[in-house]
């Protein structure tokens, strides 16, 4: 049996408060802006989860090179990677989708 077998994984579901998540998104944006401001005169390597997930070994080599580390192949363990879609994890996904539909955060729920 493989750990990637979704039938053998726990089927945890959560309910999220849309207003609390809006506050979370706003705080995250303020923090990111603060980081950009404080490090505006430095070279930054921006890493997104989507980029890392799409080519994790290639991107890890980019990170190593950026930090002047001799690039080497690193094992990537994605056994704990969530395979279900958000709508299958979040009980009130439709409510969140409607709440954020015309906001800059709508892409998180598409």
């Amino acid at each position: 049996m493989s750990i990637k077998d979704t039938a053998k994984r726990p089927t945890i579901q959560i309910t999220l408060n849309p207003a609390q998540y809006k506050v979370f998104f706003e705080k995250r944006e303020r923090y990111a802006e603060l980081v950009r401001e404080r490090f505006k005169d430095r070279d930054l390597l921006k890493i997104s989860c989507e980029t890392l997930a799409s080519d994790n070994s290639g991107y890890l080599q980019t990170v190593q090179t950026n930090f002047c580390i001799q690039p080497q192949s690193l094992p990537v363990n994605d056994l704990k990677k969530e395979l279900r879609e958000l709508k299958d994890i979040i009980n009130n996904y439709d409510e969140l989708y409607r709440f954020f539909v015309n906001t800059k955060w709508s892409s998180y729920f598409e």
Side-chain angles (χ1 to χ4, degrees), residues 82-90 93 110:
E82 179 58 64
L83 302 174
R84 296 177 295 162
E85 295 185 33
L86 286 179
K87 64 183 178 180
D88 297 328
I89 300 169
I90 302 172
Y93 179 84
E110 293 176 350

Side-chain angles (χ1 to χ4, degrees), residues 8-70:
K8 302 297 177 195
R9 288 183 168 194
T11 56
I12 297 170
Q13 290 191 302
I14 59 174
T15 301
L16 302 173
N17 179 310
Q20 286 178 336
Y21 251 73
K22 182 176 185 234
V23 169
F24 167 79
F25 287 144
E26 290 168 344
K27 283 182 180 179
R28 185 174 164 248
E29 280 189 353
R30 284 193 303 273
Y31 178 75
E33 183 56 39
L34 180 64
V35 169
R36 279 191 294 274
E37 178 60 30
R38 291 203 175 156
F39 293 95
K40 66 182 175 190
D41 298 328
R42 300 187 187 255
D43 291 332
L44 294 178
L45 178 63
K46 295 180 183 179
I47 301 173
S48 74
C49 292
E50 292 80 9
T51 302
L52 186 57
S54 68
D55 180 21
N56 48 32
S57 60
Y59 205 71
L60 287 173
Q61 287 191 353
T62 300
V63 171
Q64 291 174 72
T65 302
N66 190 71
F67 286 106
C68 302
I69 299 170
Q70 178 66 36

